[in-house]
Amino acid sequence: AGEDEGKATVCGFPISIFFIVVNEFCERFSYYGMRAVLVLYFKYFLQWDDDLSTTIYHTFVALCYLTPILGAIVADSWLGKFKTIVYLSIVYTLGQVVLAVSAIHDISDANRDGTPDNMTLHVALSMLGLLLIALGTGGIKPCVAAFGGDQFQDHQEKQRSTFFSIFYLSINAGSLLSTVITPILRAQECGIYTQQQCYSLAFGVPAALMVVSLIVFIIGSGMYIKTPPQGNIMVKVFRCIAFAIKNRFRHRASEFPKRTHWMDWSEEKYDKLLIAQVKMVLRVLFLYIPLPMFWALFDQQGSRWTLQATIMNGDFGILKIQPDQMQTVNPILILALVPIMDSLLYPLIAKCKINFTPLKRMTVGMLFAALAFIAAALVQIQIDQTMPKFPSSSEGQVKFININNRSLEVKAGTSEFTLGAFTVFVYCVFPLSITYIELNEHICEGSKVSFCLQFMDIKAKPEQGANAIRLLSSHLGHKQSYHREVFGSDFCCSGSISTQFRVESAAGECVYSQDLGFGSSFTLIIPPTFAFVDNCGQSIQTVVDIKPNTIHMAWQIPQYFLMTLGEVVFSVTGLEFAYSQAPSNMKSVLQAGWLLTVAVGNIIVLIIAEAWAEYILFASLLVVVCFIFAFMAHFYTYIDPAKIEAQFAERDPEEKEKEKRKSVEMTRKGSAEQRKEDRRSSDSSSDKEKTRQTRI
């Protein structure tokens, strides 16, 4: 499309930017919606443990922030922004579709029991889908905003600024809506043969939004101003740095005079303006070194914090909050805190004449993130105190359930105790080598032990608000009163509700009501005296195996508030700092460096979380890094890149010619030195050959 078409406007804005904003909203909805339920998909659908789920989650996020560099190079060097966005959006959409298909449990459930028979197929499909998504979302990330900026003419600076505000508002709006909606979709039950949590729907809706995003973007094709690729500045920067290192190594001998900065060794090939710009970039990139630790903590909102919420109470009165919906707190607080910080807090600090520089703000933001993890650790300590104690792999635990209406004398090993009627006793952890249990003079040994005791069959506390219900009966004419039949053990009824159980036989039926909590486990005992009469449910005895979650999800709000406050102070300020300190043509380089710190931060989680997964450890590491960053920032001198670039633009032509002659002379000198070294190497080789021939 030509520029004339791109000039068509509505309210002063090019028509084309409306397609771009809608495209960004749908794409962000697709990405954050999928990511909101991803770690729970790993844990409950693919049946991975917490550590593996966290590891794969952060590997995926790291890839999403590594691929923008590739996307920027492809767009600026070969395809241009428009084609790069279209092609990678197709890859992105395919990835979302493949991920949605991988979550359909019926495709490999041949025996129709609700459990996939070929989990390898589901894992392979999900990994393929995530790889395509990482390539797509990362590849278009540096292109869309810049492509939107290209739609404005030079005289539309005000409209361009407003566009970027609307653009980032669409990002947060898409994020907020998706983190509310997709957990609700996940909690629905769907399936052809059996009803399961609907991860396929939770991934399918984001996939549909990605299709809409692609279609909308293509529809606006005829209205776009499409700037042809002009070469990628990152490639030039890398080449300049590589030449400086290579040239310095070649001239490492003492006869060559030292230069002020090691980048000055690239003067023989590159002009001084480019070298000065690279120096400015490197000064900022040096400050980026400690920053990944912030992102290592920040991105655990979608992994560790979500997993933490699965064993908390989500009862908010009329609302039953899903664990993955707690992530909604972050975008809500962002929309509230950004204007408060910019319009109220920062001006107030300035009036108090406090020099709150960008680097100081970033330091404070890192401290807030550390405090958030300390708050998370305090919540986890309270949760751990309410968790049941399960035996380790080298130990055993026995639960005695007396389903009789009289007491029993029990002897287990060297311990003796009385088990009251309709009561439960969990025998202390003991070595599995114990071979017998004695019940009222009846001794069970070897294979018969299973008839007299029950090993702890619930190996974990029910999560996501589910309740484990078990029904035991001694009513159906068993010869020994301690013998019982297990009618059912199941996870049901998520949330704090009252549910009903129906007991039926030829003699009649009985309805029993039981109040359930979040994450509790109950054993319902039908006694020998049970009869199908009025109020028959009152004779059914309830034993609480595992108490419901007592720590409310609302206790996560302080840690989300501290982390979001840290994000606003750290992330927004960091982008502003990088933009102000970057040369006019290298702002994309620093943007790529900023995204790279996010990727490295997620890689840090892979290294640490697999080994310890401790909130306090992450908080401590960030505090240490915070002090290192504060020390580095203390010695940083703020610059004005525009003034430095202007100095090189105004240099005298004679001075430029003088530098050119000096560069040629240095090149000749270097070449002569290289020829000497080549001759010395050749003479040495010749001498060695003569010596070898003499020996022969």
Side-chain angles (χ1 to χ4, degrees), residues 105-106 114 188-197:
H105 64 274
D106 292 310
Q188 306 304 308
E189 293 188 344
C190 63
I192 300 173
Y193 308 123
T194 58
Q195 299 291 301
Q196 305 286 339
Q197 284 197 336

Side-chain angles (χ1 to χ4, degrees), residues 243 247 251 259 264-270 663 666-667:
F243 181 80
N247 199 33
H251 298 88
R259 302 187 183 182
D264 293 334
W265 288 97
S266 60
E267 290 179 349
E268 284 80 359
K269 187 173 182 180
Y270 297 94
S663 175
M666 179 63 72
T667 303

Side-chain angles (χ1 to χ4, degrees), residues 87-103:
Y87 294 159
L88 290 182
S89 291
I90 294 173
V91 173
Y92 191 170
T93 304
L94 288 175
Q96 290 280 29
V97 172
V98 170
L99 182 62
V101 171
S102 76

